[in-house]
Amino acid sequence: MEISYASPSFQNLSSSSSSSTTNMPSTRPVKIIPLQHPTVTASSSSASFFGSVFTKWITHFKLMTWIQWIEMLLPCCRWIRTYKWREYFQIDLMAGITVGVMLVPQAMSYAKLAGLEAIYGLYSGFVPIFVYAIFGSSRQLAIGPVALVSLLVSNVLAGIADSSDELYTELAILLALMVGVCECIMGLLRLGWLLRFISHAVISGFTTASAIVIALSQAKYFLGYSIVRSSKIVPLIKSIIAGADKFSWPPFVMGSIILAILLIMKHLGKTRKYLRFLRAAGPLTAVVLGTTFVKIYHPSSISLVRIA
């Protein structure tokens, strides 16, 4: 049996179908599907979608209690109520002291990597920690300056102004403000899911390349002479080779000893269970020994960072 489909504009559909089916037996009914024309545009559909999402948000906010409002604005209220002071406070205090002591040289080095004065590294290292303790919600997120961000700041601002000018510092502060505003907007809109579109290979490659660039750019403190500022590997290697005649052995020896202390304490902490604390105490020990040595002997060939 032949079945014909047509729109309602075909006037003789019923008569033609009845005439065609009188001569042969019908085994199943004929279903007429009317032709439907789209009446809603893409813009109106997208507007209705955002309107429905906005309506859901408004409804959700109206149903929230005052306790939920406080927890949303001040997430610290969530963990304070369930915090076990007797079990956690002593351990957290020791961890806080260790991280705080390590944060001082770490933040200053990150400021130098970004082309700023060391004092700005302390500002960016201490202030965000107190702010995030009140408004933050993650227990695993590291707060403060990091090497990748410092390198990106240096790469962006190096083409606009010289690192020795006051304009460079002003631009760095403005850049930090703009990034903070963008992060606040993305946090309010819950746009963290966008990171799912960045593959692990891209993140791993970017991190590895940045680590190599950072290590080469910081080799001047290890070798004792200045090298060119660049975000590319080849110019850094050329600058290191070109300045080999200015090599200074006191910073190299001191850097090698501190590096050996870090590696030995890390190895002992991994291989022996009763010496696990050495793995975490290695950076702190290196900082204390290096600071003590420089304070006592005052070597002229080793550069010091002084903050007024």
Side-chain angles (χ1 to χ4, degrees), residues 32-53:
I32 301 175
I33 303 176
L35 180 62
Q36 298 179 356
H37 299 279
T39 57
V40 181
T41 60
S43 60
S44 60
S45 61
S46 61
S48 61
F49 171 75
F50 288 109
S52 61
V53 173

Side-chain angles (χ1 to χ4, degrees), residues 26 34 55 58 75 93-94 102 119 127 135 212 233 293 305-306:
S26 177
T55 305
I58 296 298
L93 181 62
M94 295 175 60
M102 283 301 304
I119 188 65
V127 176
F135 298 100
I212 296 174
I233 297 178
F293 174 80
V305 177
R306 293 183 174 88

Side-chain angles (χ1 to χ4, degrees), residues 110-116 147-161 163 168 171-172 175 206 209-211 213-214 217 228-233 236:
Y110 288 156
K112 289 292 185 179
L113 180 61
L116 300 171
L148 293 180
V149 175
S150 302
L151 181 63
L152 291 175
V153 171
S154 176
N155 293 339
V156 171
L157 300 181
I160 302 176
S163 60
Y168 187 92
L171 291 175
L175 178 62
F206 176 76
S210 301
V213 173
I214 292 170
S217 62
V228 68
R229 293 181 61 89
S230 178
S231 60
K232 300 179 180 179
I233 297 178
L236 289 173

Side-chain angles (χ1 to χ4, degrees), residues 218-232:
Q218 297 299 296
K220 58 183 178 180
Y221 303 109
F222 198 80
L223 301 176
Y225 58 89
S226 299
I227 60 176
V228 68
R229 293 181 61 89
S230 178
S231 60
K232 300 179 180 179

Side-chain angles (χ1 to χ4, degrees), residues 286-300:
V287 170
V288 173
L289 292 178
T291 304
T292 305
F293 174 80
V294 173
K295 184 67 175 179
I296 294 175
Y297 294 100
H298 302 283
S300 58

Side-chain angles (χ1 to χ4, degrees), residues 107-134:
M108 291 191 297
S109 63
Y110 288 156
K112 289 292 185 179
L113 180 61
L116 300 171
E117 296 293 332
I119 188 65
Y120 295 102
L122 297 179
Y123 291 154
S124 60
F126 283 96
V127 176
I129 292 178
F130 293 102
V131 175
Y132 193 82
I134 300 174

Side-chain angles (χ1 to χ4, degrees), residues 120-292:
Y120 295 102
L122 297 179
Y123 291 154
S124 60
F126 283 96
V127 176
I129 292 178
F130 293 102
V131 175
Y132 193 82
I134 300 174
F135 298 100
S137 58
S138 176
R139 298 183 180 181
Q140 291 80 24
L141 183 62
I143 307 301
V146 293
L148 293 180
V149 175
S150 302
L151 181 63
L152 291 175
V153 171
S154 176
N155 293 339
V156 171
L157 300 181
I160 302 176
D162 189 70
S163 60
S164 59
D165 297 339
E166 294 183 358
L167 179 61
Y168 187 92
T169 304
E170 296 176 358
L171 291 175
I173 296 174
L174 179 60
L175 178 62
L177 176 61
M178 294 171 60
V179 172
V181 172
C182 293
E183 288 184 351
C184 290
I185 294 175
M186 295 179 67
L188 293 175
L189 297 179
R190 300 294 191 270
L191 297 180
W193 53 271
L194 292 175
L195 291 177
R196 298 177 183 177
F197 295 97
I198 303 177
S199 64
H200 178 71
V202 174
I203 298 177
S204 178
F206 176 76
T207 305
T208 304
S210 301
I212 296 174
V213 173
I214 292 170
L216 293 176
S217 62
Q218 297 299 296
K220 58 183 178 180
Y221 303 109
F222 198 80
L223 301 176
Y225 58 89
S226 299
I227 60 176
V228 68
R229 293 181 61 89
S230 178
S231 60
K232 300 179 180 179
I233 297 178
V234 175
L236 289 173
I237 296 177
K238 289 183 178 179
S239 179
I240 292 174
I241 297 175
D245 56 337
K246 302 177 184 178
F247 174 78
S248 179
W249 66 268
F252 178 78
V253 172
M254 183 176 179
S256 301
I257 293 175
I258 292 178
L259 181 61
I261 292 174
L262 290 173
L263 295 177
I264 291 173
M265 296 184 70
K266 182 179 180 180
H267 177 72
L268 292 176
K270 281 185 176 181
T271 56
R272 292 171 174 79
K273 295 182 178 180
Y274 60 91
L275 295 177
R276 286 181 178 177
F277 66 94
L278 292 179
R279 185 177 181 181
L284 181 61
T285 304
V287 170
V288 173
L289 292 178
T291 304
T292 305

